[in-house]
């Protein structure tokens, strides 16, 4: 039946499906505002969606919005990789499920693509400020149940993480999405578990990047690559993300720029000004100054 529906209406149905999957609920006005359609057209879209997937949503007359049911199964197939990129860039439309325009541009593949339903539950928890119970498999202790309070999904260039308060260690940490095998929504978190209390996430630190002093023969080329001004690139990043960026860009973080190899084209010049940043431990050549 979907094949016989107009492209425009399939877009609206995919948006309803997307909101139910990732937000757990949708107002009729959300659809009307997103697509600038009339009230009657919006009502027809919800009625058609319910006809196609009667067990996917239920209407709460008190809150005046549609909620995802326990029997929810997506009406459309949402591509996990595209959806994660859209969520990371705040493009929440679900249109990839009906065939986005494809451009001949490719990017390196990540290690693995997380389960779309795991991602959806975590996003629901973040948007509604809920804790979650998960089954997480770590390198050190194997599979075990953990309670987390997630607040952000992070792309480190190789794989996806969820940034969350971990009730086991009583600290904010990163958890690899593909190592999470089950997510159950729990109650509201404590104040100390919210993103506002994540110091490494809230703290912005400056990174002063310059062409590598030994590995680059023509630094002007590197200056052009990174849009440097006065032979340097100064960027502010979250302390929790700094190590990921430095490792992704192969930035030499040694004291005097001593890493050898053509892959090290940048050097972190202001490493001495960075203090107490746990994430920097994964950056190439970084050691704590004594």
């Amino acid at each position: 039946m979907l094949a016989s529906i107009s492209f425009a209406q399939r877009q609206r149905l995919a948006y309803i499906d997307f909101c139910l999957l990732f937000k757990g609920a949708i107002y009729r006005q959300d659809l009307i505002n997103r697509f600038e359609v009339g009230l009657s057209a919006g009502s027809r879209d919800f009625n058609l969606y319910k006809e196609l997937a009667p067990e996917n949503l239920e209407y709460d007359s008190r809150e005046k919005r549609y909620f995802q049911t326990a029997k929810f199964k997506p009406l459309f197939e949402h591509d996990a990789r595209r959806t994660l990129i859209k969520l990371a860039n705040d493009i929440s439309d679900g249109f990839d499920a009906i065939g986005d325009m494809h451009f001949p541009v490719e990017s390196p593949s990540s290690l693995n693509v997380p389960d779309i339903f795991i991602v959806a539950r975590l996003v629901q928890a973040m948007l509604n400020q809920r804790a979650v119970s998960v089954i997480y498999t770590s390198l050190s202790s194997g599979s075990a149940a953990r309670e987390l309070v997630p607040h952000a999904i992070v792309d480190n260039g190789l794989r996806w993480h969820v940034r969350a308060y971990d009730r086991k260690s009583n600290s904010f940490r990163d958890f690899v999405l593909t190592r999470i095998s089950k997510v159950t929504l729990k109650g509201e978190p404590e104040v100390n578990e919210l993103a506002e209390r994540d110091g490494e996430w809230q703290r912005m630190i400056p990174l002063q990047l310059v062409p590598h002093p030994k590995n680059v023969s023509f630094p002007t080329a590197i200056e052009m690559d990174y849009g440097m001004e006065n032979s340097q690139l100064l960027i502010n990043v979250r302390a929790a993300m700094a190590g990921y960026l430095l490792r992704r860009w192969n930035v030499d973080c040694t004291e005097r720029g001593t890493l050898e190899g053509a892959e090290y084209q940048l050097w972190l010049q202001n490493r001495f000004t960075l203090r107490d940043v746990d994430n920097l431990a994964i950056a190439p050549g970084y050691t704590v100054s004594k």
Side-chain angles (χ1 to χ4, degrees):
M1 186 174 177
L2 282 173
S4 63
I5 299 172
S6 70
F7 183 79
Q9 189 167 36
R10 272 186 288 143
Q11 279 190 322
R12 298 195 296 271
L13 294 178
Y15 181 73
I16 294 172
D17 202 52
F18 184 90
C19 289
L20 289 171
L21 177 60
F22 288 95
K23 297 181 179 179
I26 180 174
Y27 289 99
R28 186 178 304 172
Q29 197 63 39
D30 292 339
L31 183 74
I32 292 171
N33 292 342
R34 178 68 177 79
F35 293 95
E36 299 182 350
V37 297
L39 181 61
S40 58
S43 297
R44 285 196 298 271
D45 290 333
F46 277 100
N47 289 336
L48 178 56
Y49 184 91
K50 193 160 189 176
E51 180 183 341
L52 295 170
E55 295 187 330
N56 273 10
L57 75 170
E58 55 188 6
Y59 184 71
D60 187 314
S61 57
R62 184 174 60 86
E63 296 200 25
K64 296 184 178 180
R65 59 174 167 167
Y66 295 88
F67 283 88
Q68 179 196 101
T69 67
K71 296 182 179 180
F72 177 84
K73 292 183 179 180
L75 182 61
F76 295 85
E77 185 175 344
H78 300 273
D79 181 88
R81 184 177 285 107
R82 288 188 180 187
T83 298
L84 280 167
I85 292 171
K86 289 185 174 185
L87 289 169
N89 291 279
D90 197 24
I91 307 172
S92 303
D93 53 24
F95 294 169
D96 56 281
I98 58 171
D100 275 343
M101 183 180 293
H102 180 70
F103 294 96
V105 178
E106 295 294 333
S107 61
S109 298
S110 53
L111 275 177
N112 199 359
V113 180
D115 186 308
I116 195 73
F117 299 106
I118 297 294
V119 175
R121 277 297 170 87
L122 290 171
V123 171
Q124 280 188 47
M126 294 174 201
L127 294 177
N128 296 289
Q129 288 199 335
R130 301 272 294 278
V132 294
S133 174
V134 306
I135 300 298
Y136 188 74
T137 303
S138 70
L139 291 174
S140 58
S141 56
S143 297
R146 300 180 90 117
E147 285 198 4
L148 310 176
V149 180
H151 69 74
I153 289 179
V154 175
D155 175 16
N156 75 352
L158 186 63
R159 53 193 176 191
W160 294 89
H161 292 75
V162 57
R163 182 76 176 174
Y165 182 85
D166 175 30
R167 288 178 172 172
K168 180 180 179 181
S169 63
N170 293 320
S171 63
F172 288 95
R173 295 187 172 189
D174 294 349
F175 295 88
V176 182
L177 273 180
T178 50
R179 296 179 188 171
I180 298 175
S181 56
K182 185 179 180 181
V183 179
T184 304
L185 294 174
K186 307 287 285 185
E188 295 183 359
E190 301 293 331
V191 174
N192 66 298
E193 300 173 329
L194 299 177
E196 291 76 14
R197 299 297 180 91
D198 186 349
E200 290 290 282
W201 185 261
Q202 299 298 337
R203 181 158 64 110
M204 304 298 292
I205 62 173
L207 300 179
Q208 186 179 6
L209 308 180
V210 298
H212 198 282
K214 299 178 181 178
N215 298 333
V216 175
S217 301
F218 300 97
T220 301
I222 303 303
E223 293 172 18
M224 295 173 68
D225 282 347
Y226 292 90
M228 293 183 178
E229 294 183 5
N230 299 319
S231 301
Q232 68 174 8
L233 175 65
L234 184 63
I235 55 177
N236 290 309
V237 300
R238 298 186 187 278
M241 297 284 289
Y244 293 139
L245 183 146
L246 293 167
R247 186 168 64 175
R248 184 177 185 177
W249 287 5
N250 287 325
V251 179
D252 182 346
C253 298
T254 58
E255 186 174 339
R256 301 185 183 280
T258 54
L259 293 183
E260 297 182 357
E263 68 270 28
Y264 300 112
Q265 299 178 343
L266 295 170
W267 176 47
L268 177 65
Q269 194 170 46
N270 68 322
R271 69 185 302 280
F272 300 105
T273 66
L274 307 178
R275 295 288 185 273
D276 303 321
V277 181
D278 293 339
N279 190 258
L280 287 179
I282 64 175
Y286 184 84
T287 56
V288 179
S289 299
K290 297 182 180 180

